[in-house]
CSV table of all heavy atoms in Angstrom, one decimal:
chain,number,residue,atom,x,y,z
A,528,THR,N,10.9,-11.3,-14.9
A,528,THR,CA,10.9,-11.6,-16.3
A,528,THR,C,12.2,-11.4,-17.0
A,528,THR,O,13.1,-10.8,-16.4
A,528,THR,CB,9.8,-10.7,-17.0
A,528,THR,OG1,10.1,-9.3,-16.7
A,528,THR,CG2,8.4,-11.0,-16.6
A,529,ASN,N,12.4,-12.0,-18.2
A,529,ASN,CA,13.7,-12.0,-18.8
A,529,ASN,C,14.2,-10.6,-19.2
A,529,ASN,O,15.4,-10.4,-19.4
A,529,ASN,CB,13.6,-12.9,-20.1
A,529,ASN,CG,13.5,-14.4,-19.7
A,529,ASN,OD1,13.9,-14.7,-18.5
A,529,ASN,ND2,13.0,-15.2,-20.5
A,530,ASP,N,13.3,-9.6,-19.4
A,530,ASP,CA,13.7,-8.3,-19.7
A,530,ASP,C,14.2,-7.5,-18.5
A,530,ASP,O,14.7,-6.3,-18.7
A,530,ASP,CB,12.6,-7.6,-20.5
A,530,ASP,CG,11.3,-7.5,-19.7
A,530,ASP,OD1,11.1,-8.4,-18.9
A,530,ASP,OD2,10.6,-6.6,-19.9
A,531,VAL,N,14.0,-8.0,-17.3
A,531,VAL,CA,14.4,-7.2,-16.2
A,531,VAL,C,15.9,-7.6,-15.8
A,531,VAL,O,16.3,-8.8,-15.8
A,531,VAL,CB,13.5,-7.6,-14.9
A,531,VAL,CG1,14.1,-6.9,-13.7
A,531,VAL,CG2,12.1,-7.1,-15.2
A,532,GLN,N,16.7,-6.6,-15.7
A,532,GLN,CA,18.1,-6.8,-15.3
A,532,GLN,C,18.2,-7.2,-13.8
A,532,GLN,O,17.8,-6.5,-13.0
A,532,GLN,CB,18.9,-5.5,-15.6
A,532,GLN,CG,20.4,-5.9,-15.6
A,532,GLN,CD,21.3,-4.6,-15.8
A,532,GLN,OE1,20.8,-3.5,-16.1
A,532,GLN,NE2,22.6,-4.7,-15.5
A,533,LEU,N,18.8,-8.4,-13.6
A,533,LEU,CA,18.8,-8.9,-12.3
A,533,LEU,C,20.0,-8.3,-11.5
A,533,LEU,O,21.2,-8.5,-11.8
A,533,LEU,CB,19.0,-10.4,-12.3
A,533,LEU,CG,19.0,-11.1,-10.9
A,533,LEU,CD1,17.7,-10.8,-10.1
A,533,LEU,CD2,19.1,-12.7,-11.1
A,534,ASN,N,19.7,-7.5,-10.5
A,534,ASN,CA,20.7,-6.9,-9.6
A,534,ASN,C,20.3,-7.1,-8.2
A,534,ASN,O,19.2,-7.7,-7.9
A,534,ASN,CB,21.0,-5.4,-9.9
A,534,ASN,CG,19.7,-4.6,-9.9
A,534,ASN,OD1,18.8,-4.9,-9.1
A,534,ASN,ND2,19.6,-3.6,-10.7
A,535,GLY,N,21.0,-6.6,-7.2
A,535,GLY,CA,20.7,-6.8,-5.8
A,535,GLY,C,19.3,-6.3,-5.4
A,535,GLY,O,18.6,-7.0,-4.7
A,536,SER,N,18.9,-5.1,-5.9
A,536,SER,CA,17.6,-4.6,-5.4
A,536,SER,C,16.5,-5.4,-6.0
A,536,SER,O,15.4,-5.6,-5.4
A,536,SER,CB,17.5,-3.1,-5.7
A,536,SER,OG,17.6,-2.9,-7.1
A,537,VAL,N,16.7,-5.8,-7.3
A,537,VAL,CA,15.6,-6.7,-7.9
A,537,VAL,C,15.5,-8.0,-7.2
A,537,VAL,O,14.4,-8.5,-6.9
A,537,VAL,CB,15.9,-6.9,-9.4
A,537,VAL,CG1,15.0,-8.0,-10.0
A,537,VAL,CG2,15.8,-5.6,-10.2
A,538,LEU,N,16.6,-8.5,-6.8
A,538,LEU,CA,16.7,-9.8,-6.1
A,538,LEU,C,15.9,-9.7,-4.7
A,538,LEU,O,15.1,-10.5,-4.4
A,538,LEU,CB,18.1,-10.2,-5.8
A,538,LEU,CG,18.3,-11.5,-4.9
A,538,LEU,CD1,17.7,-12.7,-5.5
A,538,LEU,CD2,19.8,-11.7,-4.7
A,539,GLN,N,16.2,-8.6,-4.0
A,539,GLN,CA,15.6,-8.4,-2.7
A,539,GLN,C,14.1,-8.2,-2.8
A,539,GLN,O,13.3,-8.8,-2.1
A,539,GLN,CB,16.2,-7.1,-2.1
A,539,GLN,CG,15.7,-6.9,-0.7
A,539,GLN,CD,16.4,-5.9,0.1
A,539,GLN,OE1,17.4,-5.2,-0.4
A,539,GLN,NE2,16.1,-5.7,1.4
A,540,SER,N,13.7,-7.4,-3.8
A,540,SER,CA,12.3,-7.1,-4.0
A,540,SER,C,11.5,-8.4,-4.4
A,540,SER,O,10.5,-8.7,-3.8
A,540,SER,CB,12.1,-6.1,-5.1
A,540,SER,OG,10.8,-6.1,-5.6
A,541,TRP,N,12.2,-9.2,-5.3
A,541,TRP,CA,11.6,-10.5,-5.7
A,541,TRP,C,11.4,-11.4,-4.5
A,541,TRP,O,10.4,-12.0,-4.3
A,541,TRP,CB,12.5,-11.1,-6.7
A,541,TRP,CG,12.1,-12.5,-7.1
A,541,TRP,CD1,11.2,-12.9,-8.0
A,541,TRP,CD2,12.7,-13.7,-6.5
A,541,TRP,NE1,11.2,-14.3,-8.1
A,541,TRP,CE2,12.0,-14.8,-7.1
A,541,TRP,CE3,13.6,-14.0,-5.5
A,541,TRP,CZ2,12.3,-16.1,-6.8
A,541,TRP,CZ3,13.9,-15.3,-5.2
A,541,TRP,CH2,13.3,-16.3,-5.8
A,542,ARG,N,12.5,-11.5,-3.7
A,542,ARG,CA,12.5,-12.4,-2.5
A,542,ARG,C,11.4,-12.0,-1.5
A,542,ARG,O,10.7,-12.8,-1.0
A,542,ARG,CB,13.9,-12.3,-1.8
A,542,ARG,CG,14.0,-13.2,-0.6
A,542,ARG,CD,15.4,-13.1,0.0
A,542,ARG,NE,15.8,-11.7,0.4
A,542,ARG,CZ,15.4,-11.1,1.5
A,542,ARG,NH1,14.5,-11.6,2.3
A,542,ARG,NH2,15.8,-9.9,1.7
A,543,GLU,N,11.3,-10.7,-1.2
A,543,GLU,CA,10.4,-10.2,-0.2
A,543,GLU,C,8.9,-10.4,-0.7
A,543,GLU,O,8.1,-10.7,0.1
A,543,GLU,CB,10.6,-8.7,0.1
A,543,GLU,CG,11.9,-8.6,0.9
A,543,GLU,CD,12.3,-7.1,1.2
A,543,GLU,OE1,11.7,-6.2,0.6
A,543,GLU,OE2,13.2,-6.9,2.0
A,544,ASN,N,8.7,-10.2,-2.0
A,544,ASN,CA,7.4,-10.4,-2.5
A,544,ASN,C,6.9,-11.9,-2.5
A,544,ASN,O,5.7,-12.2,-2.4
A,544,ASN,CB,7.3,-10.0,-4.0
A,544,ASN,CG,6.9,-8.5,-4.1
A,544,ASN,OD1,6.3,-8.0,-3.2
A,544,ASN,ND2,7.4,-7.8,-5.1
A,545,LEU,N,7.9,-12.8,-2.5
A,545,LEU,CA,7.6,-14.2,-2.3
A,545,LEU,C,7.5,-14.6,-0.9
A,545,LEU,O,7.1,-15.7,-0.6
A,545,LEU,CB,8.7,-15.0,-3.0
A,545,LEU,CG,8.4,-15.5,-4.5
A,545,LEU,CD1,9.5,-16.4,-4.9
A,545,LEU,CD2,7.1,-16.1,-4.7
A,546,GLY,N,7.8,-13.7,0.0
A,546,GLY,CA,7.7,-13.9,1.4
A,546,GLY,C,8.9,-14.8,2.0
A,546,GLY,O,8.7,-15.5,3.0
A,547,LEU,N,10.0,-14.7,1.3
A,547,LEU,CA,11.2,-15.6,1.7
A,547,LEU,C,12.2,-14.7,2.5
A,547,LEU,O,12.4,-13.6,2.1
A,547,LEU,CB,11.9,-16.1,0.5
A,547,LEU,CG,11.3,-17.2,-0.3
A,547,LEU,CD1,12.1,-17.5,-1.6
A,547,LEU,CD2,11.1,-18.5,0.5
A,548,SER,N,12.7,-15.3,3.5
A,548,SER,CA,13.8,-14.6,4.2
A,548,SER,C,15.1,-15.0,3.5
A,548,SER,O,15.1,-15.9,2.6
A,548,SER,CB,13.9,-15.1,5.7
A,548,SER,OG,14.3,-16.5,5.7
A,549,ARG,N,16.2,-14.3,3.8
A,549,ARG,CA,17.4,-14.6,3.2
A,549,ARG,C,17.9,-16.0,3.5
A,549,ARG,O,18.4,-16.7,2.6
A,549,ARG,CB,18.5,-13.6,3.7
A,549,ARG,CG,18.4,-12.2,3.0
A,549,ARG,CD,19.4,-11.2,3.5
A,549,ARG,NE,19.4,-10.0,2.8
A,549,ARG,CZ,20.0,-8.9,3.2
A,549,ARG,NH1,20.7,-8.9,4.3
A,549,ARG,NH2,19.9,-7.8,2.4
A,550,ASP,N,17.6,-16.4,4.7
A,550,ASP,CA,18.0,-17.8,5.1
A,550,ASP,C,17.3,-18.8,4.3
A,550,ASP,O,17.8,-19.8,3.9
A,550,ASP,CB,17.7,-18.0,6.6
A,550,ASP,CG,18.8,-17.3,7.5
A,550,ASP,OD1,19.9,-17.0,6.9
A,550,ASP,OD2,18.6,-17.1,8.7
A,551,GLU,N,16.0,-18.5,4.1
A,551,GLU,CA,15.1,-19.5,3.4
A,551,GLU,C,15.6,-19.6,1.9
A,551,GLU,O,15.8,-20.7,1.4
A,551,GLU,CB,13.7,-19.1,3.4
A,551,GLU,CG,13.0,-19.4,4.8
A,551,GLU,CD,11.7,-18.7,4.9
A,551,GLU,OE1,11.5,-17.6,4.3
A,551,GLU,OE2,10.9,-19.2,5.7
A,552,LEU,N,15.9,-18.4,1.3
A,552,LEU,CA,16.4,-18.4,0.0
A,552,LEU,C,17.7,-19.1,-0.2
A,552,LEU,O,18.0,-19.9,-1.1
A,552,LEU,CB,16.5,-17.0,-0.6
A,552,LEU,CG,17.0,-16.9,-2.0
A,552,LEU,CD1,16.0,-17.6,-3.0
A,552,LEU,CD2,17.1,-15.4,-2.5
A,553,SER,N,18.6,-18.9,0.8
A,553,SER,CA,19.9,-19.5,0.8
A,553,SER,C,19.8,-21.0,0.8
A,553,SER,O,20.5,-21.7,0.2
A,553,SER,CB,20.8,-19.0,1.9
A,553,SER,OG,20.4,-19.6,3.1
A,554,ARG,N,18.8,-21.5,1.6
A,554,ARG,CA,18.6,-23.0,1.6
A,554,ARG,C,18.0,-23.5,0.3
A,554,ARG,O,18.5,-24.5,-0.2
A,554,ARG,CB,17.6,-23.3,2.8
A,554,ARG,CG,18.2,-23.3,4.1
A,554,ARG,CD,17.4,-24.0,5.2
A,554,ARG,NE,16.1,-23.3,5.4
A,554,ARG,CZ,16.0,-22.3,6.3
A,554,ARG,NH1,17.1,-22.0,7.0
A,554,ARG,NH2,14.9,-21.7,6.5
A,555,HIS,N,17.1,-22.7,-0.3
A,555,HIS,CA,16.6,-23.1,-1.7
A,555,HIS,C,17.7,-23.2,-2.7
A,555,HIS,O,17.7,-24.1,-3.6
A,555,HIS,CB,15.6,-22.1,-2.1
A,555,HIS,CG,14.2,-22.4,-1.5
A,555,HIS,ND1,13.4,-23.4,-1.9
A,555,HIS,CD2,13.5,-21.6,-0.7
A,555,HIS,CE1,12.3,-23.3,-1.2
A,555,HIS,NE2,12.3,-22.2,-0.5
A,556,LEU,N,18.7,-22.3,-2.6
A,556,LEU,CA,19.7,-22.2,-3.7
A,556,LEU,C,21.0,-22.9,-3.3
A,556,LEU,O,21.9,-23.0,-4.1
A,556,LEU,CB,20.0,-20.7,-3.9
A,556,LEU,CG,18.9,-19.8,-4.5
A,556,LEU,CD1,19.4,-18.4,-4.5
A,556,LEU,CD2,18.5,-20.3,-5.9
A,557,ASN,N,21.0,-23.4,-2.0
A,557,ASN,CA,22.2,-24.0,-1.5
A,557,ASN,C,23.4,-23.0,-1.6
A,557,ASN,O,24.5,-23.4,-2.0
A,557,ASN,CB,22.5,-25.3,-2.3
A,557,ASN,CG,23.4,-26.2,-1.5
A,557,ASN,OD1,23.5,-26.1,-0.3
A,557,ASN,ND2,24.0,-27.2,-2.2
A,558,LEU,N,23.2,-21.8,-1.2
A,558,LEU,CA,24.2,-20.8,-1.1
A,558,LEU,C,24.2,-20.2,0.3
A,558,LEU,O,23.2,-20.4,1.0
A,558,LEU,CB,23.9,-19.6,-2.1
A,558,LEU,CG,23.9,-20.0,-3.6
A,558,LEU,CD1,23.4,-18.8,-4.4
A,558,LEU,CD2,25.3,-20.3,-4.1
Side-chain angles (χ1 to χ4, degrees):
Chain A
T528 51
N529 289 337
D530 55 331
V531 174
Q532 194 181 349
L533 183 57
N534 56 31
S536 61
V537 169
L538 173 63
Q539 183 169 3
S540 161
W541 171 87
R542 177 179 61 74
E543 289 176 349
N544 273 332
L545 267 185
L547 287 175
S548 68
R549 282 176 174 169
D550 283 343
E551 286 166 332
L552 179 59
S553 74
R554 282 196 293 274
H555 279 290
L556 296 174
N557 203 18
L558 295 171

